[in-house]
PDB file of all heavy atoms in Angstrom:
ATOM      1  N   LYS U 941       7.590   2.452  19.605  1.00  0.00           N
ATOM      2  CA  LYS U 941       9.003   2.601  19.972  1.00  0.00           C
ATOM      3  C   LYS U 941       9.905   2.305  18.777  1.00  0.00           C
ATOM      4  O   LYS U 941       9.675   1.353  18.048  1.00  0.00           O
ATOM      5  CB  LYS U 941       9.359   1.630  21.110  1.00  0.00           C
ATOM      6  CG  LYS U 941       8.867   2.080  22.465  1.00  0.00           C
ATOM      7  CD  LYS U 941       9.368   1.138  23.546  1.00  0.00           C
ATOM      8  CE  LYS U 941       8.725   1.443  24.887  1.00  0.00           C
ATOM      9  NZ  LYS U 941       9.042   0.428  25.886  1.00  0.00           N
ATOM     10  N   GLY U 942      10.962   3.121  18.614  1.00  0.00           N
ATOM     11  CA  GLY U 942      11.986   2.858  17.586  1.00  0.00           C
ATOM     12  C   GLY U 942      11.444   2.753  16.178  1.00  0.00           C
ATOM     13  O   GLY U 942      11.779   1.818  15.472  1.00  0.00           O
ATOM     14  N   ARG U 943      10.569   3.696  15.774  1.00  0.00           N
ATOM     15  CA  ARG U 943       9.953   3.717  14.434  1.00  0.00           C
ATOM     16  C   ARG U 943       9.173   2.437  14.145  1.00  0.00           C
ATOM     17  O   ARG U 943       8.959   2.061  12.981  1.00  0.00           O
ATOM     18  CB  ARG U 943      11.019   3.918  13.342  1.00  0.00           C
ATOM     19  CG  ARG U 943      11.840   5.170  13.510  1.00  0.00           C
ATOM     20  CD  ARG U 943      12.434   5.630  12.207  1.00  0.00           C
ATOM     21  NE  ARG U 943      11.466   6.359  11.406  1.00  0.00           N
ATOM     22  CZ  ARG U 943      11.754   6.830  10.199  1.00  0.00           C
ATOM     23  NH1 ARG U 943      12.934   6.650   9.669  1.00  0.00           N
ATOM     24  NH2 ARG U 943      10.848   7.484   9.502  1.00  0.00           N
ATOM     25  N   GLY U 944       8.745   1.762  15.210  1.00  0.00           N
ATOM     26  CA  GLY U 944       8.054   0.474  15.064  1.00  0.00           C
ATOM     27  C   GLY U 944       6.789   0.551  14.246  1.00  0.00           C
ATOM     28  O   GLY U 944       6.493  -0.335  13.453  1.00  0.00           O
ATOM     29  N   ARG U 945       6.028   1.647  14.428  1.00  0.00           N
ATOM     30  CA  ARG U 945       4.749   1.776  13.716  1.00  0.00           C
ATOM     31  C   ARG U 945       4.930   1.856  12.207  1.00  0.00           C
ATOM     32  O   ARG U 945       4.178   1.249  11.454  1.00  0.00           O
ATOM     33  CB  ARG U 945       3.995   3.007  14.207  1.00  0.00           C
ATOM     34  CG  ARG U 945       3.009   2.657  15.291  1.00  0.00           C
ATOM     35  CD  ARG U 945       2.094   3.806  15.575  1.00  0.00           C
ATOM     36  NE  ARG U 945       1.758   3.782  16.997  1.00  0.00           N
ATOM     37  CZ  ARG U 945       1.329   4.825  17.658  1.00  0.00           C
ATOM     38  NH1 ARG U 945       1.206   5.982  17.058  1.00  0.00           N
ATOM     39  NH2 ARG U 945       1.020   4.737  18.929  1.00  0.00           N
ATOM     40  N   GLN U 946       5.951   2.621  11.774  1.00  0.00           N
ATOM     41  CA  GLN U 946       6.185   2.749  10.326  1.00  0.00           C
ATOM     42  C   GLN U 946       6.601   1.406   9.722  1.00  0.00           C
ATOM     43  O   GLN U 946       6.181   1.043   8.640  1.00  0.00           O
ATOM     44  CB  GLN U 946       7.291   3.783  10.035  1.00  0.00           C
ATOM     45  CG  GLN U 946       6.863   5.209  10.290  1.00  0.00           C
ATOM     46  CD  GLN U 946       7.394   5.720  11.615  1.00  0.00           C
ATOM     47  OE1 GLN U 946       7.303   5.045  12.630  1.00  0.00           O
ATOM     48  NE2 GLN U 946       7.947   6.920  11.615  1.00  0.00           N
ATOM     49  N   VAL U 947       7.453   0.670  10.470  1.00  0.00           N
ATOM     50  CA  VAL U 947       7.920  -0.643   9.997  1.00  0.00           C
ATOM     51  C   VAL U 947       6.738  -1.584   9.838  1.00  0.00           C
ATOM     52  O   VAL U 947       6.586  -2.267   8.819  1.00  0.00           O
ATOM     53  CB  VAL U 947       8.961  -1.247  10.986  1.00  0.00           C
ATOM     54  CG1 VAL U 947       9.305  -2.677  10.607  1.00  0.00           C
ATOM     55  CG2 VAL U 947      10.223  -0.398  11.020  1.00  0.00           C
ATOM     56  N   ILE U 948       5.862  -1.592  10.855  1.00  0.00           N
ATOM     57  CA  ILE U 948       4.716  -2.501  10.845  1.00  0.00           C
ATOM     58  C   ILE U 948       3.711  -2.101   9.763  1.00  0.00           C
ATOM     59  O   ILE U 948       3.094  -2.946   9.129  1.00  0.00           O
ATOM     60  CB  ILE U 948       4.085  -2.559  12.256  1.00  0.00           C
ATOM     61  CG1 ILE U 948       5.002  -3.391  13.174  1.00  0.00           C
ATOM     62  CG2 ILE U 948       2.700  -3.158  12.225  1.00  0.00           C
ATOM     63  CD1 ILE U 948       4.814  -3.180  14.637  1.00  0.00           C
ATOM     64  N   ALA U 949       3.567  -0.774   9.519  1.00  0.00           N
ATOM     65  CA  ALA U 949       2.640  -0.302   8.470  1.00  0.00           C
ATOM     66  C   ALA U 949       3.082  -0.795   7.100  1.00  0.00           C
ATOM     67  O   ALA U 949       2.252  -1.177   6.268  1.00  0.00           O
ATOM     68  CB  ALA U 949       2.572   1.222   8.489  1.00  0.00           C
ATOM     69  N   VAL U 950       4.403  -0.820   6.847  1.00  0.00           N
ATOM     70  CA  VAL U 950       4.917  -1.319   5.561  1.00  0.00           C
ATOM     71  C   VAL U 950       4.706  -2.833   5.483  1.00  0.00           C
ATOM     72  O   VAL U 950       4.328  -3.369   4.434  1.00  0.00           O
ATOM     73  CB  VAL U 950       6.420  -0.969   5.374  1.00  0.00           C
ATOM     74  CG1 VAL U 950       6.995  -1.647   4.137  1.00  0.00           C
ATOM     75  CG2 VAL U 950       6.606   0.530   5.268  1.00  0.00           C
ATOM     76  N   ALA U 951       4.919  -3.529   6.602  1.00  0.00           N
ATOM     77  CA  ALA U 951       4.754  -4.995   6.632  1.00  0.00           C
ATOM     78  C   ALA U 951       3.323  -5.399   6.276  1.00  0.00           C
ATOM     79  O   ALA U 951       3.102  -6.439   5.649  1.00  0.00           O
ATOM     80  CB  ALA U 951       5.120  -5.526   8.015  1.00  0.00           C
ATOM     81  N   ARG U 952       2.337  -4.562   6.660  1.00  0.00           N
ATOM     82  CA  ARG U 952       0.930  -4.877   6.369  1.00  0.00           C
ATOM     83  C   ARG U 952       0.638  -4.871   4.867  1.00  0.00           C
ATOM     84  O   ARG U 952      -0.303  -5.511   4.413  1.00  0.00           O
ATOM     85  CB  ARG U 952       0.002  -3.860   7.059  1.00  0.00           C
ATOM     86  CG  ARG U 952      -0.116  -4.056   8.557  1.00  0.00           C
ATOM     87  CD  ARG U 952      -0.934  -2.937   9.155  1.00  0.00           C
ATOM     88  NE  ARG U 952      -2.344  -3.111   8.903  1.00  0.00           N
ATOM     89  CZ  ARG U 952      -3.209  -3.681   9.733  1.00  0.00           C
ATOM     90  NH1 ARG U 952      -2.799  -4.154  10.894  1.00  0.00           N
ATOM     91  NH2 ARG U 952      -4.486  -3.791   9.429  1.00  0.00           N
TER      92      ARG U 952
END
Side-chain angles (χ1 to χ4, degrees):
K941 283 185 188 171
R943 303 204 80 182
R945 265 191 213 159
Q946 288 101 313
V947 172
I948 286 160
V950 172
R952 286 175 76 95

